[in-house]
Amino acid sequence: MSLFRKVSEPAAAKAGVIVTVEGRDVPVPEGASAAAAVLLAGSDAIRETGVSGAPRAPYCMMGVCFDCLAEIDGIPNRQSCMVTVAPGMVIRRQHGKRTVDTAVAAE
Amino acid sequence: MTTEKIDFAVIGAGPAGMAAATLAAELGLDTVLIDEQDAPGGQIYRGVERAQDNSPLGADYLAGKPLAAALRASGATYLPATTVWHIDPDGTLSLISAAGARTLRARRILIATGAIERPVPIPGWTLPGVMTAGAAQIMLKSAGLVPTGRVVLAGQGPLIWLVAAQLIRAGAPPALILETTSLGNYHFAAHRLPAVLWPSRRALAKGIGFIGEVKRAGIPIIHRVTGLAARGRDHLETAVWNGCETQADLLLLHEGVIPNTQISLALQLEHRWDVGQLCWRPVADEWGATALSTISVAGDGGGIAGAEAAALSGRLAALDAASFLDKIDPAERDRRARPVHRALKREQAIRPFLDALYRPAPAVLVPADEVIACRCEEVAVVQIRRAARLGAQGPNQAKAFTRCGMGPCQGRICGSIVSAVMADTLGRPIAAVGTYRPRAPYKPITLGALAGFEHPEGLSEALTGAVGGA
């Protein structure tokens, strides 16, 4: 179940953008953050911690707690609450710590 | 790439930063305003430029619109979506944005980075489904999103009532409010009420208005809540308190706000533990000027006083910068500042009352042993206590013992908790135990971004300088 929804008043019912969250297309209002998109998508968690693997979801939504770290457009460890959605943005859950792509690193 | 030289750099586009940059530009200072968000407003006025006049967020929120419009119309250069990741005491700022990395050198820098919500460390506060009250408000401000399901608002402070009223207006009323204000707080605050009754009558009336709005909506309110906890397996299932329990899909926590001191602490400015507001605040004079002539502070980042006071303190800092940089003489600064100082005093008048009424319970600062203090590294209170007993003298040594404060948030969330737990364990005052010394980069940045940083002197300075201190 999604933890958030759009306000039903017409003022807020403006054109949205479509982003992909964990492979699923999700319409989100313009101006929303990637973290908000994950909450709208109904994902339980946005990442699993690097220490114990515990599920986490955005906590502060204002760039303080870093619990919303996610992979956005292929780049891990992004503060998703500080990234505004753009059409076609791909947001993926982050499992544990981010890793370095050694094939790229070796180039 | 060369370092561009400017007069005045302002960090943060909330009320303090917007007002400061606008006035500074008007006074003839070559001014740059840097902010992480893509539109001005800070957290309090987030998304305000896009807000409709009938917004459920209310008139106080819409008061941010003219501030943002004045900034846009001013001669200040506004750099949105830009992160300051290092400041050198000589006034050099290292910036990063999608366009790349750059440096600026300002003769005066204003830190206007505002407040963060005080962490509310209760059992289960890391579960998905537990957020801050401010987070829900940001969902509404930035994207017109409201919670679904059964929402429980828990804690205390003006924001609890404001968020509840806003959610009611937006058609998503909370199911239950758990207020943590103790009986002792009511008694303590009552003594301070007569002094603020007249000077702060408008603010008091507004607050009473919000509480009335929530009561008229018929939302159940439980008072004097203690022992709050969040329970669930992989996500929140129930909220628990005083031996009671309720099903909840979303638990929104709030125990007031504290200054965001990440940059001022990293600059090793002197900070004091404010015994009234139970938080660290940088030491600054009536203009926001600090012991470092290049650095000043305005708004809630210098001590909590609210949005209106923040804008006023931003104007004082701009006047002082103009005087410091010889654009106006000190007499003109003082003349222009007089009404601003007076207005600021009026705005601040209510704080002793609010600070007393909504003083967090001891368990908010020193939670039970099993509670996670550091969310990033998953360090429990008991581990901090053990480190203190093993000889760690302060939060910076506790890092080495436990890794607390060493995760991605760089101690932003656990800083005040770790200071308080160590003080409690060592039997010393918090002021004596101290707090973390954060280091650059202030926000994690990628190696790719650093590689694009064509300023070797600045880079080496930033890196070696940053790891030098305590």
Side-chain angles (χ1 to χ4, degrees), chain B residues 101-261:
Chain B
R102 64 190 282 200
T103 53
L104 283 178
R105 183 152 173 184
R107 295 164 72 197
R108 175 62 72 87
I109 294 170
L110 178 64
I111 302 173
T113 50
I116 63 173
E117 279 186 277
R118 180 187 292 283
V120 188
I122 58 167
W125 71 311
T126 54
L127 282 171
V130 181
M131 297 177 86
T132 66
Q137 198 193 33
I138 286 166
M139 295 288 278
L140 186 55
K141 285 176 181 171
S142 59
L145 297 170
V146 290
T148 60
R150 193 174 152 79
V151 179
V152 177
L153 253 174
Q156 58 179 344
L159 190 74
I160 287 278
W161 303 106
L162 178 61
V163 168
Q166 288 168 337
L167 290 176
I168 292 163
R169 291 178 214 154
L176 177 67
I177 294 178
L178 300 174
E179 201 194 34
T180 54
T181 306
S182 70
L183 209 51
N185 280 16
Y186 282 113
H187 288 308
F188 196 40
H191 291 297
R192 296 176 180 218
L193 188 58
V196 302
L197 212 44
W198 181 250
S200 304
R201 60 196 178 280
R202 282 179 50 215
L204 288 168
K206 227 182 298 178
I208 291 165
F210 293 136
I211 296 172
E213 205 174 331
V214 174
K215 289 192 169 158
R216 279 193 302 281
I219 292 159
I221 303 163
I222 295 172
H223 297 283
R224 297 193 290 283
V225 162
T226 57
L228 191 66
R231 292 214 182 121
R233 256 179 64 84
D234 292 329
H235 59 90
L236 174 74
E237 289 163 25
T238 55
V240 181
W241 73 98
N242 304 8
C244 306
E245 176 176 42
T246 190
Q247 184 266 327
D249 297 305
L250 188 65
L251 175 63
L252 300 174
L253 302 172
H254 184 74
E255 286 282 349
V257 297
I258 57 176
N260 175 2
T261 51

Side-chain angles (χ1 to χ4, degrees), chain B residues 8 86-92 106-111 263-271 282-285 287-297 320-321 324-325 437 442:
Chain B
F8 192 43
H86 179 257
I87 294 174
D88 192 277
D90 76 358
T92 305
R107 295 164 72 197
R108 175 62 72 87
I109 294 170
L110 178 64
I111 302 173
I263 294 179
S264 53
L265 283 172
L267 279 164
Q268 291 187 280
L269 293 170
E270 187 188 353
H271 285 63
V283 175
D285 68 13
W287 306 94
T290 71
L292 270 177
S293 68
T294 44
I295 310 288
S296 56
V297 187
D320 189 52
F324 176 69
L325 300 174
R437 193 197 141 208
Y442 306 148

Side-chain angles (χ1 to χ4, degrees), chain A residues 8-82:
Chain A
S8 49
E9 65 171 85
K14 52 189 169 215
V17 295
I18 307 283
V19 299
T20 308
V21 178
E22 288 288 283
R24 211 157 56 79
D25 285 355
V26 182
V28 291
E30 221 173 288
S33 63
V38 171
L39 290 168
L40 266 181
S43 304
D44 244 4
I46 197 166
R47 70 182 187 111
E48 285 144 16
T49 61
V51 178
S52 74
R56 290 285 171 86
Y59 173 72
C60 78
M61 294 300 281
M62 54 182 276
V64 177
C65 76
F66 288 71
D67 254 323
C68 67
L69 291 178
E71 186 187 304
I72 300 175
D73 291 337
I75 302 172
N77 265 5
R78 303 281 305 274
Q79 267 189 296
S80 63
C81 74
M82 301 299 285

Side-chain angles (χ1 to χ4, degrees), chain A residues 2-3 5 7 49 52 67 84, chain B residues 38 128 144 146 148 235 375 378:
Chain A
S2 170
L3 283 175
R5 64 168 170 84
V7 173
T49 61
S52 74
D67 254 323
T84 305
Chain B
D38 47 20
V146 290
T148 60
H235 59 90
R375 296 171 61 101
E378 297 175 63

